[in-house]
Every structure is written in structure tokens, then in C-alpha cells.
PDB file of all heavy atoms in Angstrom:
ATOM      1  N   ALA A  20       1.499   5.034  -6.561  1.00 89.00           N
ATOM      2  CA  ALA A  20       2.054   5.095  -7.930  1.00 89.00           C
ATOM      3  C   ALA A  20       2.706   6.404  -8.204  1.00 89.00           C
ATOM      4  O   ALA A  20       3.810   6.499  -8.783  1.00 89.00           O
ATOM      5  CB  ALA A  20       0.961   4.840  -8.993  1.00 89.00           C
ATOM      6  N   GLY A  21       2.121   7.504  -7.775  1.00 85.00           N
ATOM      7  CA  GLY A  21       2.690   8.841  -7.991  1.00 85.00           C
ATOM      8  C   GLY A  21       4.015   8.991  -7.288  1.00 85.00           C
ATOM      9  O   GLY A  21       5.014   9.460  -7.897  1.00 85.00           O
ATOM     10  N   LEU A  22       4.108   8.603  -6.007  1.00 78.00           N
ATOM     11  CA  LEU A  22       5.333   8.762  -5.279  1.00 78.00           C
ATOM     12  C   LEU A  22       6.401   7.776  -5.820  1.00 78.00           C
ATOM     13  O   LEU A  22       7.586   8.109  -5.932  1.00 78.00           O
ATOM     14  CB  LEU A  22       5.059   8.501  -3.799  1.00 78.00           C
ATOM     15  CG  LEU A  22       6.208   8.867  -2.826  1.00 78.00           C
ATOM     16  CD1 LEU A  22       6.667  10.318  -3.011  1.00 78.00           C
ATOM     17  CD2 LEU A  22       5.798   8.594  -1.401  1.00 78.00           C
ATOM     18  N   GLY A  23       5.950   6.548  -6.127  1.00 80.00           N
ATOM     19  CA  GLY A  23       6.904   5.520  -6.616  1.00 80.00           C
ATOM     20  C   GLY A  23       7.456   5.834  -7.973  1.00 80.00           C
ATOM     21  O   GLY A  23       8.481   5.226  -8.409  1.00 80.00           O
ATOM     22  N   SER A  24       6.846   6.754  -8.731  1.00 80.00           N
ATOM     23  CA  SER A  24       7.377   7.079 -10.049  1.00 80.00           C
ATOM     24  C   SER A  24       8.653   7.902  -9.993  1.00 80.00           C
ATOM     25  O   SER A  24       9.398   7.998 -11.037  1.00 80.00           O
ATOM     26  CB  SER A  24       6.327   7.878 -10.871  1.00 80.00           C
ATOM     27  OG  SER A  24       6.079   9.108 -10.267  1.00 80.00           O
ATOM     28  N   VAL A  25       8.985   8.468  -8.833  1.00 63.00           N
ATOM     29  CA  VAL A  25      10.198   9.273  -8.743  1.00 63.00           C
ATOM     30  C   VAL A  25      11.097   8.800  -7.598  1.00 63.00           C
ATOM     31  O   VAL A  25      12.121   9.408  -7.323  1.00 63.00           O
ATOM     32  CB  VAL A  25       9.887  10.754  -8.521  1.00 63.00           C
ATOM     33  CG1 VAL A  25       9.238  11.379  -9.808  1.00 63.00           C
ATOM     34  CG2 VAL A  25       8.909  11.003  -7.334  1.00 63.00           C
ATOM     35  N   MET A  26      10.780   7.747  -6.912  1.00 63.00           N
ATOM     36  CA  MET A  26      11.647   7.201  -5.881  1.00 63.00           C
ATOM     37  C   MET A  26      11.458   5.691  -5.807  1.00 63.00           C
ATOM     38  O   MET A  26      10.655   5.122  -6.550  1.00 63.00           O
ATOM     39  CB  MET A  26      11.342   7.891  -4.509  1.00 63.00           C
ATOM     40  CG  MET A  26       9.995   7.620  -3.976  1.00 63.00           C
ATOM     41  SD  MET A  26       9.788   8.328  -2.279  1.00 63.00           S
ATOM     42  CE  MET A  26      10.840   7.184  -1.294  1.00 63.00           C
ATOM     43  N   SER A  27      12.171   5.034  -4.894  1.00 67.00           N
ATOM     44  CA  SER A  27      12.174   3.579  -4.790  1.00 67.00           C
ATOM     45  C   SER A  27      10.751   3.102  -4.502  1.00 67.00           C
ATOM     46  O   SER A  27      10.126   3.443  -3.476  1.00 67.00           O
ATOM     47  CB  SER A  27      13.084   3.157  -3.745  1.00 67.00           C
ATOM     48  OG  SER A  27      12.891   1.799  -3.374  1.00 67.00           O
ATOM     49  N   SER A  28      10.188   2.205  -5.335  1.00 76.00           N
ATOM     50  CA  SER A  28       8.881   1.687  -5.130  1.00 76.00           C
ATOM     51  C   SER A  28       8.926   0.792  -3.872  1.00 76.00           C
ATOM     52  O   SER A  28       7.898   0.687  -3.146  1.00 76.00           O
ATOM     53  CB  SER A  28       8.470   0.857  -6.327  1.00 76.00           C
ATOM     54  OG  SER A  28       9.360  -0.186  -6.616  1.00 76.00           O
ATOM     55  N   THR A  29      10.079   0.115  -3.617  1.00 74.00           N
ATOM     56  CA  THR A  29      10.183  -0.726  -2.403  1.00 74.00           C
ATOM     57  C   THR A  29      10.061   0.188  -1.158  1.00 74.00           C
ATOM     58  O   THR A  29       9.388  -0.144  -0.173  1.00 74.00           O
ATOM     59  CB  THR A  29      11.536  -1.412  -2.386  1.00 74.00           C
ATOM     60  OG1 THR A  29      11.610  -2.220  -3.573  1.00 74.00           O
ATOM     61  CG2 THR A  29      11.650  -2.343  -1.198  1.00 74.00           C
ATOM     62  N   GLY A  30      10.781   1.345  -1.206  1.00 68.00           N
ATOM     63  CA  GLY A  30      10.654   2.243  -0.082  1.00 68.00           C
ATOM     64  C   GLY A  30       9.235   2.770   0.143  1.00 68.00           C
ATOM     65  O   GLY A  30       8.781   2.971   1.227  1.00 68.00           O
ATOM     66  N   VAL A  31       8.566   3.117  -0.966  1.00 75.00           N
ATOM     67  CA  VAL A  31       7.181   3.562  -0.850  1.00 75.00           C
ATOM     68  C   VAL A  31       6.292   2.546  -0.200  1.00 75.00           C
ATOM     69  O   VAL A  31       5.480   2.880   0.657  1.00 75.00           O
ATOM     70  CB  VAL A  31       6.635   3.929  -2.273  1.00 75.00           C
ATOM     71  CG1 VAL A  31       5.182   4.345  -2.180  1.00 75.00           C
ATOM     72  CG2 VAL A  31       7.432   5.128  -2.832  1.00 75.00           C
ATOM     73  N   VAL A  32       6.430   1.312  -0.588  1.00 81.00           N
ATOM     74  CA  VAL A  32       5.610   0.243  -0.005  1.00 81.00           C
ATOM     75  C   VAL A  32       5.956   0.100   1.506  1.00 81.00           C
ATOM     76  O   VAL A  32       5.034  -0.091   2.317  1.00 81.00           O
ATOM     77  CB  VAL A  32       5.847  -1.097  -0.724  1.00 81.00           C
ATOM     78  CG1 VAL A  32       5.200  -2.254   0.031  1.00 81.00           C
ATOM     79  CG2 VAL A  32       5.244  -1.062  -2.105  1.00 81.00           C
ATOM     80  N   ALA A  33       7.226   0.154   1.877  1.00 72.00           N
ATOM     81  CA  ALA A  33       7.599   0.084   3.265  1.00 72.00           C
ATOM     82  C   ALA A  33       6.952   1.199   4.056  1.00 72.00           C
ATOM     83  O   ALA A  33       6.578   0.993   5.238  1.00 72.00           O
ATOM     84  CB  ALA A  33       9.101   0.067   3.414  1.00 72.00           C
ATOM     85  N   ILE A  34       6.847   2.345   3.483  1.00 70.00           N
ATOM     86  CA  ILE A  34       6.205   3.520   4.184  1.00 70.00           C
ATOM     87  C   ILE A  34       4.720   3.349   4.292  1.00 70.00           C
ATOM     88  O   ILE A  34       4.131   3.634   5.331  1.00 70.00           O
ATOM     89  CB  ILE A  34       6.540   4.815   3.449  1.00 70.00           C
ATOM     90  CG1 ILE A  34       8.051   5.120   3.612  1.00 70.00           C
ATOM     91  CG2 ILE A  34       5.722   5.994   3.956  1.00 70.00           C
ATOM     92  CD1 ILE A  34       8.542   6.246   2.680  1.00 70.00           C
ATOM     93  N   PHE A  35       4.078   2.877   3.236  1.00 78.00           N
ATOM     94  CA  PHE A  35       2.631   2.806   3.190  1.00 78.00           C
ATOM     95  C   PHE A  35       2.005   1.560   3.844  1.00 78.00           C
ATOM     96  O   PHE A  35       0.834   1.544   4.065  1.00 78.00           O
ATOM     97  CB  PHE A  35       2.143   2.942   1.737  1.00 78.00           C
ATOM     98  CG  PHE A  35       1.909   4.375   1.304  1.00 78.00           C
ATOM     99  CD1 PHE A  35       2.969   5.103   0.781  1.00 78.00           C
ATOM    100  CD2 PHE A  35       0.669   4.966   1.444  1.00 78.00           C
ATOM    101  CE1 PHE A  35       2.819   6.405   0.402  1.00 78.00           C
ATOM    102  CE2 PHE A  35       0.500   6.270   0.995  1.00 78.00           C
ATOM    103  CZ  PHE A  35       1.549   6.947   0.477  1.00 78.00           C
ATOM    104  N   ILE A  36       2.756   0.508   4.079  1.00 79.00           N
ATOM    105  CA  ILE A  36       2.215  -0.658   4.707  1.00 79.00           C
ATOM    106  C   ILE A  36       1.526  -0.330   6.054  1.00 79.00           C
ATOM    107  O   ILE A  36       0.380  -0.714   6.290  1.00 79.00           O
ATOM    108  CB  ILE A  36       3.310  -1.732   4.856  1.00 79.00           C
ATOM    109  CG1 ILE A  36       3.551  -2.464   3.517  1.00 79.00           C
ATOM    110  CG2 ILE A  36       2.885  -2.797   5.930  1.00 79.00           C
ATOM    111  CD1 ILE A  36       4.641  -3.552   3.599  1.00 79.00           C
ATOM    112  N   PRO A  37       2.221   0.324   7.026  1.00 70.00           N
ATOM    113  CA  PRO A  37       1.511   0.595   8.267  1.00 70.00           C
ATOM    114  C   PRO A  37       0.299   1.531   8.080  1.00 70.00           C
ATOM    115  O   PRO A  37      -0.706   1.413   8.812  1.00 70.00           O
ATOM    116  CB  PRO A  37       2.602   1.313   9.125  1.00 70.00           C
ATOM    117  CG  PRO A  37       3.629   1.730   8.194  1.00 70.00           C
ATOM    118  CD  PRO A  37       3.594   0.822   7.028  1.00 70.00           C
ATOM    119  N   VAL A  38       0.353   2.433   7.079  1.00 73.00           N
ATOM    120  CA  VAL A  38      -0.828   3.278   6.768  1.00 73.00           C
ATOM    121  C   VAL A  38      -2.008   2.441   6.352  1.00 73.00           C
ATOM    122  O   VAL A  38      -3.117   2.577   6.838  1.00 73.00           O
ATOM    123  CB  VAL A  38      -0.438   4.311   5.674  1.00 73.00           C
ATOM    124  CG1 VAL A  38      -1.664   5.133   5.324  1.00 73.00           C
ATOM    125  CG2 VAL A  38       0.647   5.178   6.157  1.00 73.00           C
ATOM    126  N   ALA A  39      -1.748   1.531   5.394  1.00 79.00           N
ATOM    127  CA  ALA A  39      -2.844   0.685   4.910  1.00 79.00           C
ATOM    128  C   ALA A  39      -3.394  -0.244   5.974  1.00 79.00           C
ATOM    129  O   ALA A  39      -4.630  -0.448   6.059  1.00 79.00           O
ATOM    130  CB  ALA A  39      -2.359  -0.113   3.684  1.00 79.00           C
ATOM    131  N   VAL A  40      -2.541  -0.781   6.796  1.00 76.00           N
ATOM    132  CA  VAL A  40      -2.999  -1.677   7.899  1.00 76.00           C
ATOM    133  C   VAL A  40      -3.917  -0.923   8.849  1.00 76.00           C
ATOM    134  O   VAL A  40      -4.944  -1.398   9.317  1.00 76.00           O
ATOM    135  CB  VAL A  40      -1.832  -2.321   8.670  1.00 76.00           C
ATOM    136  CG1 VAL A  40      -2.282  -3.049   9.910  1.00 76.00           C
ATOM    137  CG2 VAL A  40      -1.076  -3.306   7.730  1.00 76.00           C
ATOM    138  N   SER A  41      -3.485   0.256   9.208  1.00 69.00           N
ATOM    139  CA  SER A  41      -4.271   1.171  10.111  1.00 69.00           C
ATOM    140  C   SER A  41      -5.612   1.508   9.534  1.00 69.00           C
ATOM    141  O   SER A  41      -6.628   1.427  10.227  1.00 69.00           O
ATOM    142  CB  SER A  41      -3.490   2.399  10.438  1.00 69.00           C
ATOM    143  OG  SER A  41      -4.254   3.288  11.212  1.00 69.00           O
ATOM    144  N   ILE A  42      -5.589   1.892   8.278  1.00 75.00           N
ATOM    145  CA  ILE A  42      -6.856   2.291   7.572  1.00 75.00           C
ATOM    146  C   ILE A  42      -7.788   1.067   7.526  1.00 75.00           C
ATOM    147  O   ILE A  42      -8.953   1.197   7.786  1.00 75.00           O
ATOM    148  CB  ILE A  42      -6.577   2.795   6.158  1.00 75.00           C
ATOM    149  CG1 ILE A  42      -5.781   4.115   6.255  1.00 75.00           C
ATOM    150  CG2 ILE A  42      -7.883   3.006   5.416  1.00 75.00           C
ATOM    151  CD1 ILE A  42      -5.350   4.632   4.933  1.00 75.00           C
ATOM    152  N   ALA A  43      -7.311  -0.103   7.208  1.00 78.00           N
ATOM    153  CA  ALA A  43      -8.120  -1.302   7.142  1.00 78.00           C
ATOM    154  C   ALA A  43      -8.819  -1.544   8.443  1.00 78.00           C
ATOM    155  O   ALA A  43      -9.998  -1.883   8.476  1.00 78.00           O
ATOM    156  CB  ALA A  43      -7.261  -2.462   6.682  1.00 78.00           C
ATOM    157  N   ALA A  44      -8.090  -1.378   9.557  1.00 72.00           N
ATOM    158  CA  ALA A  44      -8.669  -1.593  10.875  1.00 72.00           C
ATOM    159  C   ALA A  44      -9.794  -0.564  11.139  1.00 72.00           C
ATOM    160  O   ALA A  44     -10.774  -0.966  11.724  1.00 72.00           O
ATOM    161  CB  ALA A  44      -7.589  -1.505  11.942  1.00 72.00           C
ATOM    162  N   ARG A  45      -9.564   0.655  10.739  1.00 70.00           N
ATOM    163  CA  ARG A  45     -10.548   1.746  11.009  1.00 70.00           C
ATOM    164  C   ARG A  45     -11.840   1.521  10.258  1.00 70.00           C
ATOM    165  O   ARG A  45     -12.930   1.814  10.775  1.00 70.00           O
ATOM    166  CB  ARG A  45      -9.939   3.053  10.713  1.00 70.00           C
ATOM    167  CG  ARG A  45      -9.057   3.566  11.746  1.00 70.00           C
ATOM    168  CD  ARG A  45      -8.792   5.010  11.550  1.00 70.00           C
ATOM    169  NE  ARG A  45      -7.364   5.306  11.277  1.00 70.00           N
ATOM    170  CZ  ARG A  45      -6.880   6.420  10.915  1.00 70.00           C
ATOM    171  NH1 ARG A  45      -7.724   7.444  10.692  1.00 70.00           N
ATOM    172  NH2 ARG A  45      -5.582   6.597  10.742  1.00 70.00           N
ATOM    173  N   ILE A  46     -11.733   1.039   9.002  1.00 74.00           N
ATOM    174  CA  ILE A  46     -12.952   0.926   8.223  1.00 74.00           C
ATOM    175  C   ILE A  46     -13.583  -0.464   8.234  1.00 74.00           C
ATOM    176  O   ILE A  46     -14.516  -0.742   7.544  1.00 74.00           O
ATOM    177  CB  ILE A  46     -12.747   1.382   6.746  1.00 74.00           C
ATOM    178  CG1 ILE A  46     -11.776   0.416   6.040  1.00 74.00           C
ATOM    179  CG2 ILE A  46     -12.226   2.817   6.664  1.00 74.00           C
ATOM    180  CD1 ILE A  46     -11.619   0.694   4.541  1.00 74.00           C
ATOM    181  N   GLY A  47     -12.948  -1.372   9.071  1.00 75.00           N
ATOM    182  CA  GLY A  47     -13.430  -2.686   9.179  1.00 75.00           C
ATOM    183  C   GLY A  47     -13.198  -3.556   7.978  1.00 75.00           C
ATOM    184  O   GLY A  47     -13.989  -4.475   7.740  1.00 75.00           O
ATOM    185  N   SER A  48     -12.094  -3.278   7.271  1.00 78.00           N
ATOM    186  CA  SER A  48     -11.752  -4.134   6.080  1.00 78.00           C
ATOM    187  C   SER A  48     -10.597  -5.046   6.459  1.00 78.00           C
ATOM    188  O   SER A  48      -9.875  -4.779   7.366  1.00 78.00           O
ATOM    189  CB  SER A  48     -11.386  -3.187   4.961  1.00 78.00           C
ATOM    190  OG  SER A  48     -11.012  -3.949   3.798  1.00 78.00           O
ATOM    191  N   ALA A  49     -10.405  -6.104   5.646  1.00 82.00           N
ATOM    192  CA  ALA A  49      -9.278  -6.991   5.831  1.00 82.00           C
ATOM    193  C   ALA A  49      -8.024  -6.354   5.202  1.00 82.00           C
ATOM    194  O   ALA A  49      -8.080  -5.885   4.089  1.00 82.00           O
ATOM    195  CB  ALA A  49      -9.570  -8.336   5.249  1.00 82.00           C
ATOM    196  N   PRO A  50      -6.885  -6.325   5.883  1.00 82.00           N
ATOM    197  CA  PRO A  50      -5.682  -5.837   5.271  1.00 82.00           C
ATOM    198  C   PRO A  50      -5.301  -6.474   3.936  1.00 82.00           C
ATOM    199  O   PRO A  50      -4.773  -5.804   3.099  1.00 82.00           O
ATOM    200  CB  PRO A  50      -4.599  -6.176   6.335  1.00 82.00           C
ATOM    201  CG  PRO A  50      -5.380  -6.216   7.635  1.00 82.00           C
ATOM    202  CD  PRO A  50      -6.691  -6.880   7.268  1.00 82.00           C
ATOM    203  N   ARG A  51      -5.640  -7.740   3.774  1.00 85.00           N
ATOM    204  CA  ARG A  51      -5.302  -8.438   2.508  1.00 85.00           C
ATOM    205  C   ARG A  51      -6.005  -7.786   1.293  1.00 85.00           C
ATOM    206  O   ARG A  51      -5.555  -7.978   0.196  1.00 85.00           O
ATOM    207  CB  ARG A  51      -5.542  -9.857   2.617  1.00 85.00           C
ATOM    208  CG  ARG A  51      -7.043 -10.228   2.847  1.00 85.00           C
ATOM    209  CD  ARG A  51      -7.244 -11.707   3.152  1.00 85.00           C
ATOM    210  NE  ARG A  51      -7.011 -12.590   1.990  1.00 85.00           N
ATOM    211  CZ  ARG A  51      -6.016 -13.404   1.895  1.00 85.00           C
ATOM    212  NH1 ARG A  51      -5.104 -13.514   2.821  1.00 85.00           N
ATOM    213  NH2 ARG A  51      -5.891 -14.174   0.764  1.00 85.00           N
ATOM    214  N   ARG A  52      -7.128  -7.035   1.526  1.00 88.00           N
ATOM    215  CA  ARG A  52      -7.807  -6.375   0.439  1.00 88.00           C
ATOM    216  C   ARG A  52      -7.117  -5.151  -0.022  1.00 88.00           C
ATOM    217  O   ARG A  52      -7.453  -4.600  -1.055  1.00 88.00           O
ATOM    218  CB  ARG A  52      -9.263  -6.150   0.815  1.00 88.00           C
ATOM    219  CG  ARG A  52     -10.066  -7.384   0.974  1.00 88.00           C
ATOM    220  CD  ARG A  52     -11.422  -7.095   1.656  1.00 88.00           C
ATOM    221  NE  ARG A  52     -12.295  -6.256   0.861  1.00 88.00           N
ATOM    222  CZ  ARG A  52     -13.242  -6.680   0.043  1.00 88.00           C
ATOM    223  NH1 ARG A  52     -13.410  -7.989  -0.082  1.00 88.00           N
ATOM    224  NH2 ARG A  52     -14.015  -5.883  -0.593  1.00 88.00           N
ATOM    225  N   LEU A  53      -6.206  -4.648   0.786  1.00 88.00           N
ATOM    226  CA  LEU A  53      -5.423  -3.461   0.458  1.00 88.00           C
ATOM    227  C   LEU A  53      -3.950  -3.697   0.122  1.00 88.00           C
ATOM    228  O   LEU A  53      -3.325  -2.949  -0.591  1.00 88.00           O
ATOM    229  CB  LEU A  53      -5.526  -2.389   1.548  1.00 88.00           C
ATOM    230  CG  LEU A  53      -6.933  -1.804   1.844  1.00 88.00           C
ATOM    231  CD1 LEU A  53      -6.870  -0.855   3.006  1.00 88.00           C
ATOM    232  CD2 LEU A  53      -7.466  -1.138   0.572  1.00 88.00           C
ATOM    233  N   MET A  54      -3.430  -4.725   0.703  1.00 89.00           N
ATOM    234  CA  MET A  54      -1.953  -4.981   0.567  1.00 89.00           C
ATOM    235  C   MET A  54      -1.576  -5.262  -0.861  1.00 89.00           C
ATOM    236  O   MET A  54      -0.564  -4.768  -1.384  1.00 89.00           O
ATOM    237  CB  MET A  54      -1.499  -6.112   1.483  1.00 89.00           C
ATOM    238  CG  MET A  54      -1.490  -5.799   2.954  1.00 89.00           C
ATOM    239  SD  MET A  54      -0.261  -4.565   3.424  1.00 89.00           S
ATOM    240  CE  MET A  54      -1.327  -3.222   3.760  1.00 89.00           C
ATOM    241  N   MET A  55      -2.297  -6.123  -1.559  1.00 91.00           N
ATOM    242  CA  MET A  55      -1.953  -6.534  -2.887  1.00 91.00           C
ATOM    243  C   MET A  55      -2.162  -5.307  -3.887  1.00 91.00           C
ATOM    244  O   MET A  55      -1.316  -5.079  -4.732  1.00 91.00           O
ATOM    245  CB  MET A  55      -2.682  -7.756  -3.391  1.00 91.00           C
ATOM    246  CG  MET A  55      -2.007  -8.351  -4.625  1.00 91.00           C
ATOM    247  SD  MET A  55      -2.655  -9.960  -5.139  1.00 91.00           S
ATOM    248  CE  MET A  55      -2.113 -11.009  -3.799  1.00 91.00           C
ATOM    249  N   PRO A  56      -3.289  -4.572  -3.788  1.00 93.00           N
ATOM    250  CA  PRO A  56      -3.369  -3.379  -4.571  1.00 93.00           C
ATOM    251  C   PRO A  56      -2.209  -2.411  -4.328  1.00 93.00           C
ATOM    252  O   PRO A  56      -1.716  -1.745  -5.226  1.00 93.00           O
ATOM    253  CB  PRO A  56      -4.664  -2.740  -4.150  1.00 93.00           C
ATOM    254  CG  PRO A  56      -5.521  -3.915  -3.717  1.00 93.00           C
ATOM    255  CD  PRO A  56      -4.509  -4.904  -3.077  1.00 93.00           C
ATOM    256  N   LEU A  57      -1.741  -2.316  -3.091  1.00 92.00           N
ATOM    257  CA  LEU A  57      -0.597  -1.508  -2.740  1.00 92.00           C
ATOM    258  C   LEU A  57       0.639  -1.950  -3.455  1.00 92.00           C
ATOM    259  O   LEU A  57       1.391  -1.144  -4.073  1.00 92.00           O
ATOM    260  CB  LEU A  57      -0.318  -1.552  -1.235  1.00 92.00           C
ATOM    261  CG  LEU A  57       0.882  -0.896  -0.647  1.00 92.00           C
ATOM    262  CD1 LEU A  57       0.824   0.594  -0.903  1.00 92.00           C
ATOM    263  CD2 LEU A  57       1.007  -1.187   0.857  1.00 92.00           C
ATOM    264  N   ALA A  58       0.893  -3.285  -3.519  1.00 92.00           N
ATOM    265  CA  ALA A  58       2.078  -3.814  -4.154  1.00 92.00           C
ATOM    266  C   ALA A  58       1.955  -3.627  -5.744  1.00 92.00           C
ATOM    267  O   ALA A  58       2.921  -3.225  -6.368  1.00 92.00           O
ATOM    268  CB  ALA A  58       2.224  -5.303  -3.882  1.00 92.00           C
ATOM    269  N   PHE A  59       0.773  -3.878  -6.212  1.00 94.00           N
ATOM    270  CA  PHE A  59       0.609  -3.720  -7.699  1.00 94.00           C
ATOM    271  C   PHE A  59       0.788  -2.292  -8.131  1.00 94.00           C
ATOM    272  O   PHE A  59       1.392  -2.013  -9.132  1.00 94.00           O
ATOM    273  CB  PHE A  59      -0.813  -4.169  -8.067  1.00 94.00           C
ATOM    274  CG  PHE A  59      -0.920  -5.691  -8.300  1.00 94.00           C
ATOM    275  CD1 PHE A  59      -0.157  -6.571  -7.565  1.00 94.00           C
ATOM    276  CD2 PHE A  59      -1.755  -6.202  -9.290  1.00 94.00           C
ATOM    277  CE1 PHE A  59      -0.242  -7.946  -7.686  1.00 94.00           C
ATOM    278  CE2 PHE A  59      -1.852  -7.602  -9.482  1.00 94.00           C
ATOM    279  CZ  PHE A  59      -1.121  -8.450  -8.734  1.00 94.00           C
ATOM    280  N   ALA A  60       0.313  -1.313  -7.299  1.00 94.00           N
ATOM    281  CA  ALA A  60       0.518   0.108  -7.631  1.00 94.00           C
ATOM    282  C   ALA A  60       1.965   0.456  -7.583  1.00 94.00           C
ATOM    283  O   ALA A  60       2.482   1.208  -8.448  1.00 94.00           O
ATOM    284  CB  ALA A  60      -0.318   0.978  -6.637  1.00 94.00           C
ATOM    285  N   ALA A  61       2.726  -0.066  -6.662  1.00 92.00           N
ATOM    286  CA  ALA A  61       4.131   0.204  -6.543  1.00 92.00           C
ATOM    287  C   ALA A  61       4.864  -0.328  -7.763  1.00 92.00           C
ATOM    288  O   ALA A  61       5.764   0.277  -8.288  1.00 92.00           O
ATOM    289  CB  ALA A  61       4.717  -0.398  -5.274  1.00 92.00           C
ATOM    290  N   LEU A  62       4.502  -1.541  -8.231  1.00 93.00           N
ATOM    291  CA  LEU A  62       5.133  -2.079  -9.451  1.00 93.00           C
ATOM    292  C   LEU A  62       4.789  -1.280 -10.686  1.00 93.00           C
ATOM    293  O   LEU A  62       5.644  -1.014 -11.555  1.00 93.00           O
ATOM    294  CB  LEU A  62       4.681  -3.534  -9.661  1.00 93.00           C
ATOM    295  CG  LEU A  62       5.198  -4.559  -8.630  1.00 93.00           C
ATOM    296  CD1 LEU A  62       4.511  -5.869  -8.778  1.00 93.00           C
ATOM    297  CD2 LEU A  62       6.728  -4.726  -8.761  1.00 93.00           C
ATOM    298  N   MET A  63       3.551  -0.850 -10.790  1.00 95.00           N
ATOM    299  CA  MET A  63       3.148  -0.016 -11.905  1.00 95.00           C
ATOM    300  C   MET A  63       3.789   1.371 -11.866  1.00 95.00           C
ATOM    301  O   MET A  63       3.894   2.034 -12.877  1.00 95.00           O
ATOM    302  CB  MET A  63       1.623   0.113 -11.948  1.00 95.00           C
ATOM    303  CG  MET A  63       0.922  -1.191 -12.381  1.00 95.00           C
ATOM    304  SD  MET A  63      -0.894  -1.040 -12.527  1.00 95.00           S
ATOM    305  CE  MET A  63      -1.372  -1.161 -10.794  1.00 95.00           C
ATOM    306  N   SER A  64       4.175   1.862 -10.668  1.00 91.00           N
ATOM    307  CA  SER A  64       4.818   3.177 -10.579  1.00 91.00           C
ATOM    308  C   SER A  64       6.142   3.216 -11.396  1.00 91.00           C
ATOM    309  O   SER A  64       6.464   4.208 -11.908  1.00 91.00           O
ATOM    310  CB  SER A  64       5.108   3.501  -9.120  1.00 91.00           C
ATOM    311  OG  SER A  64       6.162   2.725  -8.612  1.00 91.00           O
TER     312      SER A  64
END
């Protein structure tokens, strides 16, 4: 949300998708539990 408030929210999501997928794998979480919060935060930005 912070980064998306001053630049393209679409671009921010494209950058953070691989980050979120990698983090989900490391902590044993499903990517789907982080992807939608990621999108919602970008829209709210």
C-alpha cells in the first residue's frame, strides 16, 4: 500500500508476486492466503 500510493499499483503487484510466493513456500503457507491480501492492498493504495 505504501509503495502503491506513489506509483502504479499494477506494477507493485507484479514486483511483489514472486516475493509473496517465495515467502509462502518458506513459512509453509498456501500462496492463495497471501495473493488476495496483496491485490486488496494494491487497490487500497
Side-chain angles (χ1 to χ4, degrees):
L22 191 56
S24 67
V25 292
M26 64 175 290
S27 165
S28 58
T29 304
V31 173
V32 170
I34 290 169
F35 271 85
I36 281 176
V38 175
V40 170
S41 173
I42 293 173
R45 281 195 240 171
I46 67 173
S48 179
R51 62 189 289 113
R52 291 166 68 94
L53 295 178
M54 288 294 107
M55 196 172 293
L57 173 63
F59 277 34
L62 291 171
M63 288 183 280
S64 72

